[in-house]
Amino acid sequence: MSKGVRVRELFRFSPTAIFLVGFLPPLCGAVAAISIALLQHREQISNYNWQCGRAFLPSLSRIINLPLERTFWQLFTLFHIPMRVIEVAIGFTRYNRLRSVDCKHIWLHNLARYVYVICGTMELIFLIGLSAVGERESGFVHVICFYVFGFFGLGFFIANTICHANSLYHLQPYGQTSYNLKLIIGTAYVISVPILLGSFLLYWRKCISIMYEIFALSEYIDVFLNIAFHGCAFLDIRYKVVFSVKHVSPVKSIFP
């Protein structure tokens, strides 16, 4: 009871359970779609001959264009969106409340918080877009959604890492480990982006056949790097965050 109100906890969620609901679906969807495509439908999407030579590895766009693979991708990817929205909203608030007293550049931390929520939201919007609009609906729109998704994903990574470094999330246990993992994954993502774009352009403009395989592999790697970065949230919330639902009701005074 506090300040004339009664607070009663209705139930509490395990941080691990919350994390798994947000992390496992996209991972399972990506693994299932790619595995089914390569193992069951390889003839349909591999070894096809385009104007710049034969391509042996399918791009992610071609994989999720197949009916079965698309079902797995959309089902698992879209299922986790509500949890990611909650994650972004909570992160935006908690990075403000848990800012470290040792933070030397408060303006940068606050700027990163807003970049975090904007990029996190836009990343989800374009993830929905590239999942809902495939090559068979509109190849142009699908490609735009894919690259804009990657751009906002990178912005989210950078903002998240800056906020983490200047908040109590950086403390032990696991704070430094999570920060180091974010740096490694984020750096790998930054390195992979020019490889992906460069290989795509070299294939279509210079007709270097091997570049399409490099492009396809870069797509796979980028997807799993994105999932891995979001997986660092487990280290951020474990032992540091409690998820509970409470009922707050006013307390009637016994005095007139």
Side-chain angles (χ1 to χ4, degrees):
M1 187 181 300
S2 175
K3 296 183 180 180
V5 297
R6 179 183 289 110
V7 180
R8 181 166 59 94
E9 185 176 75
L10 300 179
F11 46 87
R12 179 176 296 193
F13 296 101
S14 164
T16 301
I18 295 293
F19 165 77
L20 292 177
V21 171
F23 177 75
L24 285 183
L27 177 62
C28 292
V31 171
I34 294 174
S35 299
I36 293 172
L38 295 180
L39 296 176
Q40 300 294 326
H41 301 140
R42 189 174 182 84
E43 291 300 321
Q44 294 178 239
I45 55 176
S46 300
N47 200 27
Y48 44 91
N49 195 16
W50 280 351
Q51 65 186 43
C52 289
R54 194 169 296 277
F56 297 96
L57 272 181
S59 67
L60 185 64
S61 299
R62 290 185 65 87
I63 288 176
I64 62 176
N65 203 41
L66 295 173
L68 181 59
E69 287 80 346
R70 186 175 192 175
T71 299
F72 277 99
W73 175 272
Q74 290 184 339
L75 176 65
F76 287 103
T77 299
L78 299 180
F79 175 80
H80 93 294
I81 295 294
M83 191 57 63
R84 282 284 307 282
V85 172
I86 295 173
E87 173 199 339
V88 171
I90 292 176
F92 176 72
T93 302
R94 290 183 67 85
Y95 275 136
N96 182 46
R97 292 170 52 195
L98 300 180
R99 188 185 71 222
S100 173
V101 294
D102 296 323
C103 178
K104 297 180 180 179
H105 303 288
I106 297 177
W107 66 270
L108 178 61
H109 180 77
N110 288 332
L111 175 62
R113 282 180 57 240
Y114 284 96
V115 174
Y116 169 92
V117 73
I118 292 171
C119 287
T121 302
M122 297 304 294
E123 180 190 23
L124 293 177
I125 290 174
F126 283 97
L127 176 59
I128 294 171
L130 71 88
S131 300
V133 181
E135 283 187 335
R136 60 187 177 187
E137 286 83 20
S138 174
F140 177 76
V141 173
H142 177 79
V143 169
I144 292 298
C145 286
F146 184 86
Y147 283 108
V148 176
F149 160 77
F151 171 78
F152 281 114
L154 179 59
F156 180 84
F157 293 176
I158 295 172
N160 192 325
T161 305
I162 293 173
C163 288
H164 182 107
N166 293 289
S167 71
L168 299 184
Y169 282 111
H170 196 255
L171 300 178
Q172 296 296 345
Y174 307 122
Q176 185 65 47
T177 301
S178 175
Y179 178 72
N180 291 338
L181 285 173
K182 288 178 180 180
L183 284 178
I184 293 171
I185 296 170
T187 301
Y189 195 86
V190 169
I191 294 172
S192 71
V193 169
I195 296 175
L196 185 146
L197 293 174
S199 58
F200 182 81
L201 293 174
L202 286 173
Y203 178 78
W204 287 109
R205 294 192 176 183
K206 299 297 182 180
C207 282
I208 304 175
S209 300
I210 190 63
M211 287 296 109
Y212 197 85
E213 274 63 49
I214 296 176
F215 165 72
L217 284 173
S218 298
E219 275 195 327
Y220 304 162
I221 291 171
D222 279 356
V223 167
F224 287 109
L225 284 175
N226 186 286
I227 295 172
F229 188 94
H230 290 292
C232 294
F234 177 71
L235 299 177
D236 294 340
I237 66 176
R238 194 182 186 191
Y239 302 127
K240 295 179 182 178
V241 178
V242 174
F243 296 94
S244 68
V245 176
K246 299 180 180 180
H247 178 264
V248 180
S249 58
V251 177
K252 294 183 179 180
S253 175
I254 60 175
F255 301 102

